[in-house]
Amino acid sequence: MATLPPRKNPTATKISKQQLTPLQTLLQLGFPKHRAEKALAATGHRGVQLASDWLLAHVRDPTLDFITHRQYVLYACPTGALAERLLTFWAESKELGWNGAHNFIPHITLVSFFQASDELTSELVSSLENIIDLDELCDRIDLETYVSPNFMGLFVKDADTKWLTKISTNYVDKLTSLGITAKPQVKSLHLTLAYQFPSNLFQPLRLMVEKLGPTTPDNWELRLYSRDPRLQNSHVHKVIHAYTSKEHDDLELRVGDYVYIPEGACDASTDGWVEGTSWLTGTSGHLPLNHTKRTAESDSWTLHTTIQINNKKSEIVEEEAMPKTRKQQPSLLSMEDSVDTPDGVEINKESIEKASSSPVVSARQIFICRHGERVDFTFGAWIPYCFEENGCYVRRDLNMPKEIPLRNIRDFQNDSPLTTVGEVQAGLVGEAMKSSNIKIDVAFTSPSLRCVQTLAHILKGLDLDIPMKIEPGLIEWLAWYPNGIPVWMTSEELINAGFNVDKNYSQIIQAKDLPLKENAAQYYERSYELIKQIIESTVGNILIVAHAASLAACTKQLTGGQIPPAAEVTKLVQRVPYLACLTAREGLNGWQLHPPPFPPITHTSNSRFDWKVLM
């Protein structure tokens, strides 16, 4: 048989299917590289099928082609009997009411949240696996209980802290070599049991913590998680009932999906509907809140790898292995601040223990309220109906004010007073603030009469006698005043009418400096610059009474948001009822929105009764 001559141009060896990486397979399927990497990162590199399913589900995700970085965090988590007892504790403490610890699984933070591009996900996992020395695994992690009026947790003993710190610092060194900025937790490592709980829950929670008993020689493991960056400053709700969209801006709900809902949105909703983003599809829309149930934020995270880091012992630890609960001492941390925040703020345990001789530091807060019910929106053209020819005011309805300030009657046309219901609404909010132990140090109001009256009644409900600062810059979007800026009552006129006005206040924006016209972006910029100057020029907690649009305009950019389009501004206003209240709190990461610490006001309309219909 003749031998075959050698080929001059051999065919290049084809890559077999077994040799293809998941990324290469997705590229061969026609997916763009950035989308394929995003899908693999979002699904924890668990295979081509899961990644391709994710891509198909997210085909309408508006951020699919955005260059965004997932946020990663490294935890140490128990996996044995202690983990089971902690999960039981979580479930029982939830029955008392939600607190900050319920947002996460039981854990010790080793490396706080850091950002990494999608193409580095595999290297993040391999780097973590390479720093673990199997010969240096410890037998156990000893914990001791700490309880204070605003925080309860299990602190790692010093000997084990050094070992865990070595893991976190070595991993951060690996991340640095990849060009990633991260921060290890090196002080006061702890597992949070409860924080951000109301004072009335302290005793029942304390008893539950004491019942946890001593630690057992459980296994512990490292867990590398990541989350969608859109999840920041949001709560996670799990869908428990399906919902099919009925309007173009509705969000379709599938049982088992998770929904990201902005903080405070649930409490601010007046009709049981909120806007959220689907974990399953990445799309956003309005949804019925009663079709969901709040759950831990970490339920929607992606788990990338787990690594066991200790050798479990078979013997049972004696009860004295975990010391009895330490003597309660006042803490440096306020009730609103977490000592186990996702951003990994360092906690100095020695500072906490020495706090008995230190003052309590409270987070600074801003409370922004819309005014109460106004006469003109309730009764329409009320001026001809309520004023005699001689100019005397006549109360034609019990919901009309008993008396109104003396001024030019025509000026009421664009500067309406409150109804009686509006006065009651404001008083109720003031009383609720007092019951919630809210401390107000300074109070500002729009010059609109309805806002001045609302603030006066809130302060009355608070039993506070602080002067009101009249700030023209708080007036709502001027596009709603086509006939020009209203004529407001002067400070002297308001004082003569019985209002406690700060005569010495120097207005940040005077009425004469307000623009004749402005678009939505200019209105939001005006409000943002104003709120920054109010913050800089005052100390303590701030109360502001203004308009429906003011709640978003004063806080959107302050909390890191973007200016919405004009159509969205009008849409938002329609969802802000009378006396809606928004809370912004200053933290280590700047200002963030929080739900108000008291319930909203909800009531139905009451049409005018004509007795003649019964004749």
Side-chain angles (χ1 to χ4, degrees):
M1 182 182 291
T3 42
L4 294 172
R7 294 185 60 176
K8 294 182 179 179
N9 297 309
T11 303
T13 303
K14 291 184 179 180
I15 301 176
S16 67
K17 230 176 185 182
Q18 288 74 16
Q19 292 175 304
L20 287 177
T21 65
L23 177 59
Q24 290 171 330
T25 302
L26 290 171
L27 295 178
Q28 280 196 354
L29 291 173
F31 293 109
K33 184 172 183 289
H34 69 280
R35 288 192 176 186
E37 289 174 337
K38 179 172 286 192
L40 289 169
T43 56
H45 278 261
R46 285 183 170 81
V48 173
Q49 185 61 54
L50 196 58
S52 58
D53 290 345
W54 185 93
L55 284 166
L56 294 175
H58 283 254
V59 68
R60 292 170 52 238
D61 185 343
T63 68
L64 185 58
D65 293 317
F66 290 2
I67 305 301
T68 57
H69 292 170
R70 292 185 68 82
Q71 298 173 336
Y72 294 80
V73 68
L74 180 62
Y75 284 167
C77 301
T79 61
L82 174 60
E84 294 177 2
R85 299 212 310 272
L86 288 173
L87 291 177
T88 301
F89 173 85
W90 250 243
E92 293 176 351
S93 61
K94 281 181 184 178
E95 294 179 1
L96 297 176
W98 193 276
N99 72 68
H102 297 145
N103 283 320
F104 311 99
I105 57 170
H107 70 276
I108 298 171
T109 302
L110 298 184
V111 179
S112 51
F113 275 106
F114 61 90
Q115 294 185 340
S117 56
D118 294 332
E119 66 267 19
L120 293 177
T121 304
S122 296
E123 294 184 64
L124 298 180
V125 173
S126 59
S127 296
L128 181 60
E129 293 170 345
N130 291 336
I131 66 169
I132 302 301
D133 188 343
L134 297 179
D135 295 329
E136 294 185 1
L137 297 182
C138 74
D139 293 336
R140 51 177 294 152
I141 297 177
D142 286 324
L143 304 170
E144 55 183 343
T145 308
Y146 178 81
V147 173
S148 77
N150 57 7
F151 171 76
M152 302 180 188
L154 304 174
F155 278 85
V156 181
K157 289 189 174 181
D158 292 340
D160 297 320
T161 294
K162 295 177 182 178
W163 173 69
L164 290 172
T165 297
K166 181 180 178 182
I167 294 177
S168 61
T169 53
N170 287 346
Y171 188 51
V172 167
D173 289 340
K174 290 282 188 179
L175 296 177
T176 302
S177 67
L178 296 175
I180 297 171
T181 302
K183 187 176 182 181
Q185 290 291 91
V186 295
K187 293 182 180 179
S188 299
L189 298 181
H190 60 279
L191 187 154
T192 298
L193 297 174
Y195 70 95
Q196 290 182 343
F197 51 83
S199 58
N200 64 304
L201 295 185
F202 169 66
Q203 289 298 340
L205 283 172
R206 179 182 65 81
L207 294 175
M208 292 174 63
V209 170
E210 292 177 348
K211 289 180 181 178
L212 275 176
T215 56
T216 55
D218 294 333
N219 283 333
W220 286 74
E221 63 184 16
L222 298 180
R223 296 183 188 176
L224 181 65
Y225 287 100
S226 74
R227 68 179 183 185
D228 187 327
R230 288 177 290 186
L231 181 53
Q232 192 168 6
N233 302 323
S234 294
H235 292 157
V236 174
H237 283 235
K238 188 173 184 177
V239 177
I240 56 176
H241 301 293
Y243 171 73
T244 303
S245 302
K246 294 180 173 58
E247 303 291 342
H248 72 281
D249 58 350
D250 283 354
L251 179 66
E252 183 176 348
L253 300 180
R254 299 182 185 179
V255 176
D257 188 10
Y258 297 102
V259 182
Y260 309 151
I261 300 176
E263 289 182 4
C266 297
D267 291 321
S269 174
T270 59
D271 56 4
W273 288 74
V274 294
E275 189 168 3
T277 301
S278 166
W279 167 84
L280 184 64
T281 65
T283 56
S284 300
H286 292 95
L287 62 129
L289 194 57
N290 61 2
H291 282 49
T292 69
K293 182 179 181 180
R294 188 174 178 184
T295 189
E297 174 190 321
S298 53
D299 286 353
S300 66
W301 293 354
T302 298
L303 178 62
H304 292 272
T305 188
T306 61
I307 304 173
Q308 185 172 329
I309 56 173
N310 72 323
N311 295 314
K312 181 176 179 179
K313 297 293 185 182
S314 58
E315 66 271 12
I316 301 299
V317 179
E318 299 298 330
E319 187 167 341
E320 55 268 18
M322 174 179 277
K324 297 292 184 179
T325 303
R326 283 192 253 170
K327 184 179 180 181
Q328 298 169 12
Q329 300 183 29
S331 170
L332 278 173
L333 301 170
S334 70
M335 188 187 305
E336 295 84 3
D337 292 332
S338 163
V339 298
D340 195 22
T341 52
D343 53 11
V345 179
E346 289 186 1
I347 303 301
N348 188 329
K349 187 167 63 175
E350 293 179 0
S351 297
I352 295 178
E353 293 170 350
K354 295 176 181 177
S356 57
S357 59
S358 304
V360 176
V361 179
S362 297
R364 195 177 185 197
Q365 298 183 97
I366 301 174
F367 301 93
I368 306 179
C369 298
R370 186 192 176 188
H371 57 77
E373 184 182 78
R374 49 194 287 182
V375 170
D376 54 351
F377 280 15
T378 305
F379 295 99
W382 66 285
I383 294 178
Y385 180 59
C386 293
F387 284 93
E388 304 275 344
E389 292 184 1
N390 59 3
C392 292
Y393 167 73
V394 179
R395 188 186 191 192
R396 304 287 187 184
D397 191 285
L398 293 180
N399 194 26
M400 288 183 172
K402 291 182 180 180
E403 54 186 21
I404 57 176
L406 293 175
R407 67 188 301 196
N408 190 316
I409 296 175
R410 288 176 298 179
D411 293 340
F412 284 117
Q413 189 69 41
N414 293 318
D415 189 24
S416 172
L418 290 180
T419 63
T420 304
V421 167
E423 295 172 354
V424 172
Q425 290 171 328
L428 288 173
V429 167
E431 292 170 3
M433 287 183 169
K434 182 180 179 181
S435 298
S436 301
N437 297 317
I438 293 175
K439 182 178 181 292
I440 299 298
D441 298 285
V442 61
F444 290 80
T445 176
S446 161
S448 297
L449 178 58
R450 57 191 180 275
C451 296
V452 176
Q453 291 176 313
T454 299
L455 179 55
H457 283 280
I458 291 177
L459 294 175
K460 182 178 179 181
L462 272 164
D463 282 336
L464 278 182
D465 187 25
I466 57 177
M468 299 184 290
K469 301 182 186 298
I470 311 296
E471 177 50 59
L474 287 171
I475 187 61
E476 57 193 329
W477 187 12
L478 294 175
W480 293 324
Y481 294 93
N483 297 324
I485 298 171
V487 178
W488 296 306
M489 295 179 68
T490 65
S491 294
E492 290 73 18
E493 289 173 331
L494 289 171
I495 292 171
N496 292 335
F499 295 101
N500 184 10
V501 174
D502 187 350
K503 296 183 292 185
N504 299 319
Y505 172 61
S506 179
Q507 296 172 342
I508 298 173
I509 301 176
Q510 297 187 17
K512 63 181 179 64
D513 296 326
L514 289 169
L516 297 177
K517 294 181 179 180
E518 63 182 358
N519 56 33
Q522 291 168 333
Y523 165 55
Y524 267 65
E525 286 293 345
R526 164 164 65 88
S527 301
Y528 179 43
E529 292 301 320
L530 175 66
I531 196 68
K532 287 195 297 183
Q533 293 190 51
I534 287 177
I535 292 170
E536 292 170 1
S537 62
T538 58
V539 294
N541 292 342
I542 303 167
L543 173 60
I544 296 174
V545 173
H547 307 269
S550 305
L551 276 69
C554 290
T555 60
K556 179 65 72 173
Q557 292 163 275
L558 182 68
T559 55
Q562 300 296 319
I563 298 175
E568 184 67 19
V569 173
T570 303
K571 184 178 178 181
L572 283 172
V573 167
Q574 296 169 354
R575 302 179 67 87
V576 180
Y578 293 127
L579 261 301
C581 184
L582 194 63
T583 306
R585 184 180 301 139
E586 187 178 29
L588 294 172
N589 292 327
W591 290 89
Q592 298 297 334
L593 295 183
H594 290 266
F598 52 86
I601 296 179
T602 307
H603 53 78
T604 186
S605 60
N606 193 44
S607 60
R608 186 177 180 84
F609 173 60
D610 182 0
W611 65 274
K612 296 178 182 179
V613 300
L614 301 179
M615 291 181 65

Short mmCIF file of all heavy atoms in Angstrom, two decimals, residues 477 479-480 520 524 548-549 564-576:
data_model
loop_
_atom_site.label_atom_id
_atom_site.label_comp_id
_atom_site.label_asym_id
_atom_site.label_seq_id
_atom_site.Cartn_x
_atom_site.Cartn_y
_atom_site.Cartn_z
N TRP A 477 -42.21 73.61 42.31
CA TRP A 477 -41.79 73.88 40.94
C TRP A 477 -42.60 75.05 40.39
O TRP A 477 -43.82 75.04 40.36
CB TRP A 477 -42.02 72.63 40.11
CG TRP A 477 -41.49 72.70 38.71
CD1 TRP A 477 -40.65 73.63 38.18
CD2 TRP A 477 -41.76 71.79 37.64
NE1 TRP A 477 -40.37 73.37 36.88
CE2 TRP A 477 -41.05 72.23 36.51
CE3 TRP A 477 -42.52 70.63 37.54
CZ2 TRP A 477 -41.10 71.57 35.30
CZ3 TRP A 477 -42.57 69.97 36.33
CH2 TRP A 477 -41.86 70.43 35.22
N ALA A 479 -43.09 76.05 37.50
CA ALA A 479 -43.84 75.81 36.26
C ALA A 479 -45.33 75.70 36.55
O ALA A 479 -46.16 75.87 35.65
CB ALA A 479 -43.34 74.54 35.57
N TRP A 480 -45.67 75.41 37.81
CA TRP A 480 -47.07 75.30 38.19
C TRP A 480 -47.68 76.66 38.56
O TRP A 480 -48.81 76.71 39.05
CB TRP A 480 -47.20 74.31 39.36
CG TRP A 480 -46.85 72.90 38.95
CD1 TRP A 480 -47.09 72.31 37.75
CD2 TRP A 480 -46.18 71.92 39.74
NE1 TRP A 480 -46.63 71.03 37.72
CE2 TRP A 480 -46.06 70.74 38.94
CE3 TRP A 480 -45.68 71.89 41.03
CZ2 TRP A 480 -45.45 69.58 39.40
CZ3 TRP A 480 -45.08 70.72 41.50
CH2 TRP A 480 -44.96 69.59 40.69
N ALA A 520 -37.81 71.28 35.06
CA ALA A 520 -37.75 70.34 36.17
C ALA A 520 -36.33 70.18 36.71
O ALA A 520 -36.12 70.11 37.92
CB ALA A 520 -38.30 68.98 35.73
N TYR A 524 -35.04 70.91 40.57
CA TYR A 524 -34.33 69.95 41.42
C TYR A 524 -32.97 70.48 41.84
O TYR A 524 -32.55 70.27 42.99
CB TYR A 524 -34.17 68.61 40.67
CG TYR A 524 -35.29 67.63 40.97
CD1 TYR A 524 -36.59 67.90 40.57
CD2 TYR A 524 -35.05 66.44 41.63
CE1 TYR A 524 -37.63 67.02 40.84
CE2 TYR A 524 -36.07 65.55 41.91
CZ TYR A 524 -37.36 65.85 41.51
OH TYR A 524 -38.38 64.97 41.79
N ALA A 548 -45.67 68.69 47.78
CA ALA A 548 -45.59 67.29 47.38
C ALA A 548 -44.31 67.00 46.60
O ALA A 548 -43.64 65.98 46.83
CB ALA A 548 -46.82 66.93 46.53
N ALA A 549 -43.94 67.89 45.71
CA ALA A 549 -42.74 67.68 44.91
C ALA A 549 -41.46 67.86 45.72
O ALA A 549 -40.39 67.38 45.33
CB ALA A 549 -42.72 68.64 43.72
N PRO A 564 -35.14 63.18 37.80
CA PRO A 564 -36.08 62.51 36.90
C PRO A 564 -36.54 63.45 35.79
O PRO A 564 -36.45 64.68 35.93
CB PRO A 564 -37.23 62.13 37.83
CG PRO A 564 -37.22 63.19 38.88
CD PRO A 564 -35.77 63.54 39.09
N PRO A 565 -37.08 62.91 34.70
CA PRO A 565 -37.65 63.77 33.66
C PRO A 565 -38.89 64.48 34.16
O PRO A 565 -39.50 64.09 35.16
CB PRO A 565 -37.99 62.77 32.53
CG PRO A 565 -38.09 61.45 33.21
CD PRO A 565 -37.13 61.48 34.35
N ALA A 566 -39.28 65.54 33.45
CA ALA A 566 -40.41 66.37 33.88
C ALA A 566 -41.69 65.56 34.06
O ALA A 566 -42.44 65.78 35.02
CB ALA A 566 -40.63 67.51 32.88
N ALA A 567 -41.95 64.63 33.14
CA ALA A 567 -43.18 63.82 33.25
C ALA A 567 -43.18 63.00 34.52
O ALA A 567 -44.21 62.80 35.15
CB ALA A 567 -43.31 62.92 32.02
N GLU A 568 -42.01 62.51 34.92
CA GLU A 568 -41.91 61.71 36.12
C GLU A 568 -42.13 62.57 37.37
O GLU A 568 -42.69 62.09 38.37
CB GLU A 568 -40.54 61.02 36.18
CG GLU A 568 -40.36 60.07 37.35
CD GLU A 568 -41.25 58.85 37.26
OE1 GLU A 568 -41.74 58.55 36.15
OE2 GLU A 568 -41.45 58.19 38.29
N VAL A 569 -41.68 63.82 37.32
CA VAL A 569 -41.90 64.73 38.45
C VAL A 569 -43.39 64.88 38.72
O VAL A 569 -43.85 64.79 39.87
CB VAL A 569 -41.25 66.10 38.18
CG1 VAL A 569 -41.62 67.10 39.27
CG2 VAL A 569 -39.74 65.97 38.07
N THR A 570 -44.16 65.11 37.66
CA THR A 570 -45.61 65.26 37.82
C THR A 570 -46.25 63.97 38.31
O THR A 570 -47.15 63.98 39.15
CB THR A 570 -46.24 65.67 36.47
OG1 THR A 570 -45.62 66.88 36.02
CG2 THR A 570 -47.72 65.90 36.61
N LYS A 571 -45.74 62.84 37.82
CA LYS A 571 -46.29 61.54 38.24
C LYS A 571 -46.01 61.28 39.71
O LYS A 571 -46.86 60.77 40.44
CB LYS A 571 -45.67 60.44 37.36
CG LYS A 571 -46.23 59.05 37.63
CD LYS A 571 -45.59 58.05 36.68
CE LYS A 571 -46.11 56.64 36.94
NZ LYS A 571 -45.48 55.65 36.04
N LEU A 572 -44.82 61.65 40.17
CA LEU A 572 -44.46 61.44 41.57
C LEU A 572 -45.35 62.26 42.49
O LEU A 572 -45.76 61.79 43.56
CB LEU A 572 -42.99 61.80 41.79
CG LEU A 572 -41.94 60.79 41.31
CD1 LEU A 572 -40.55 61.38 41.42
CD2 LEU A 572 -42.03 59.51 42.12
N VAL A 573 -45.65 63.49 42.08
CA VAL A 573 -46.46 64.38 42.91
C VAL A 573 -47.83 63.75 43.19
O VAL A 573 -48.37 63.88 44.30
CB VAL A 573 -46.61 65.75 42.23
CG1 VAL A 573 -47.69 66.58 42.90
CG2 VAL A 573 -45.28 66.50 42.26
N GLN A 574 -48.37 63.08 42.21
CA GLN A 574 -49.69 62.48 42.35
C GLN A 574 -49.70 61.33 43.37
O GLN A 574 -50.76 60.90 43.81
CB GLN A 574 -50.18 61.97 40.99
CG GLN A 574 -50.38 63.10 39.97
CD GLN A 574 -50.61 62.59 38.56
OE1 GLN A 574 -50.51 61.39 38.31
NE2 GLN A 574 -50.91 63.49 37.64
N ARG A 575 -48.52 60.83 43.74
CA ARG A 575 -48.42 59.71 44.67
C ARG A 575 -48.00 60.16 46.07
O ARG A 575 -47.70 59.33 46.93
CB ARG A 575 -47.43 58.67 44.13
CG ARG A 575 -47.80 58.13 42.75
CD ARG A 575 -46.79 57.13 42.26
NE ARG A 575 -46.78 55.92 43.07
CZ ARG A 575 -47.57 54.87 42.85
NH1 ARG A 575 -48.44 54.91 41.85
NH2 ARG A 575 -47.50 53.81 43.61
N VAL A 576 -47.95 61.48 46.28
CA VAL A 576 -47.57 62.02 47.59
C VAL A 576 -48.78 62.68 48.22
O VAL A 576 -49.18 63.77 47.82
CB VAL A 576 -46.41 63.04 47.46
CG1 VAL A 576 -46.04 63.59 48.83
CG2 VAL A 576 -45.20 62.39 46.80
#
